[in-house]
């Protein structure tokens, strides 16, 4: 049964928490995590990119000059892709990039990624958020206390306006609702910061 340290916002250890093996000790499955993240990114693509082909640009198909005798290269139409204002060769058109992944596969990938995050000490659990007011400097002090670098995320189990407002102006620090936490967010952030209540919420959700 894995254990994790609990800290206060000053980065002082205040206790330990025992975690469920079924939820937080899932073997690392790189192939499945990769599949789920690729699908997640593909499903976020709008697929609205579009350009005009030579049959769609304005103009006409008349030859700009005769085939021979001018000393210039032969051309059939000014709508050709090699002309300025001509159509695009192999022009992109709107398409659906979405990929389907089974729900069970998504769950296993998430638990695998999160378990690996825990094993690598990349999940910080604090007792509670004790911010007196929504000040950026107070949140920045917490970030400095834990020596956070790169992109990190705070995971909340309830709408905490004080934490949200205090984090708004800190670069590379995102605030994510625990219900929206996914495999991509787990992998793409260096560290996840959450309260004891939040990690218990996750444990209950996946039992």
């Amino acid at each position: 049964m894995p254990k994790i340290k609990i800290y206060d916002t000053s980065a002082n250890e205040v206790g330990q928490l025992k975690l469920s093996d079924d939820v937080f000790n899932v073997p690392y499955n790189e192939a499945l995590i990769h599949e789920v993240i690729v699908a997640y990114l593909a499903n976020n693509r709008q697929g609205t990119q579009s350009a005009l082909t030579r049959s769609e640009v304005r103009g006409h198909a008349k030859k700009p000059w005769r085939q021979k005798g001018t000393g210039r290269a032969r051309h059939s139409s000014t709508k050709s892709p090699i002309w300025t204002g001509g159509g695009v060769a192999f022009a992109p058109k709107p398409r659906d990039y979405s990929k389907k992944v089974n729900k069970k596969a998504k769950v296993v990938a998430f638990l695998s990624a999160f378990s690996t995050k825990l094993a690598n000490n990349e999940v910080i659990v604090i007792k509670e958020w004790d911010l007196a007011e929504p000040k950026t400097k107070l949140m920045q002090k917490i970030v400095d206390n834990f020596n956070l670098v790169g992109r990190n995320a705070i995971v909340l189990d309830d709408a905490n306006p004080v934490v949200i407002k205090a984090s708004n102006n800190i670069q590379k620090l995102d605030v994510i609702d625990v219900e929206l936490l996914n495999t991509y967010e787990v992998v793409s952030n260096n560290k996840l910061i959450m309260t004891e209540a939040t990690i218990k919420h996750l444990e209950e959700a996946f039992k």
Side-chain angles (χ1 to χ4, degrees):
M1 181 175 288
K3 294 181 181 179
I4 190 168
K5 294 178 180 178
I6 301 174
Y7 300 90
D8 59 18
T9 51
S10 299
N12 298 316
E13 185 178 344
V14 294
Q16 286 192 340
L17 180 65
K18 290 183 179 180
L19 304 174
S20 169
D21 275 328
D22 295 335
V23 178
F24 298 117
N25 198 20
V26 177
Y28 181 57
N29 190 330
E30 183 177 1
L32 187 56
I33 291 172
H34 178 267
E35 179 185 349
V36 169
I37 289 178
V38 167
Y40 173 82
L41 294 175
N43 294 342
N44 281 337
R45 294 184 68 173
Q46 289 183 318
T48 55
Q49 185 182 18
S50 183
L52 301 179
T53 63
R54 64 185 297 165
S55 66
E56 295 170 322
V57 294
R58 295 186 63 181
H60 53 76
K62 181 181 177 183
K63 281 177 72 67
W65 47 75
R66 68 179 190 267
Q67 181 84 346
K68 295 179 180 293
T70 65
R72 289 178 290 186
R74 57 193 177 188
H75 289 288
S76 62
S77 168
T78 55
K79 294 167 68 175
S80 166
I82 64 176
W83 280 72
T84 300
V88 176
F90 309 110
K93 291 296 179 183
R95 54 170 287 195
D96 181 13
Y97 288 94
S98 63
K99 297 176 181 290
K100 185 175 182 290
V101 179
N102 293 333
K103 288 183 179 179
K104 288 185 178 179
K106 288 182 182 179
V107 171
V108 173
F110 174 80
L111 295 181
S112 174
F114 197 88
S115 297
T116 304
K117 208 80 172 170
L118 277 171
N120 293 337
N121 296 318
E122 294 173 348
V123 177
I124 298 171
V125 178
I126 61 174
K127 191 70 177 175
E128 59 182 353
W129 293 105
D130 56 359
L131 291 174
E133 49 187 343
K135 296 287 187 181
T136 302
K137 64 180 180 181
L138 297 179
M139 181 58 73
Q140 185 62 55
K141 187 176 180 181
I142 295 174
V143 169
D144 294 338
N145 288 339
F146 287 101
N147 298 317
L148 299 180
V149 294
R151 184 170 179 243
N152 302 282
I154 294 172
V155 184
L156 299 176
D157 64 326
D158 60 352
N160 190 325
V162 175
V163 173
I164 294 171
K165 288 180 181 178
S167 307
N168 277 345
N169 291 330
I170 300 179
Q171 290 187 345
K172 297 183 180 179
L173 182 64
D174 298 326
V175 178
I176 306 169
D177 188 289
V178 68
E179 298 291 340
L180 301 178
L181 187 63
N182 55 57
T183 307
Y184 175 76
E185 296 294 350
V186 171
V187 172
S188 63
N189 285 288
N190 289 341
K191 293 196 176 178
L192 302 174
I193 308 101
M194 58 184 67
T195 62
E196 184 179 359
T198 304
I199 202 162
K200 285 182 177 178
H201 181 103
L202 275 176
E203 191 169 27
E204 288 297 324
F206 289 103
K207 267 187 177 178

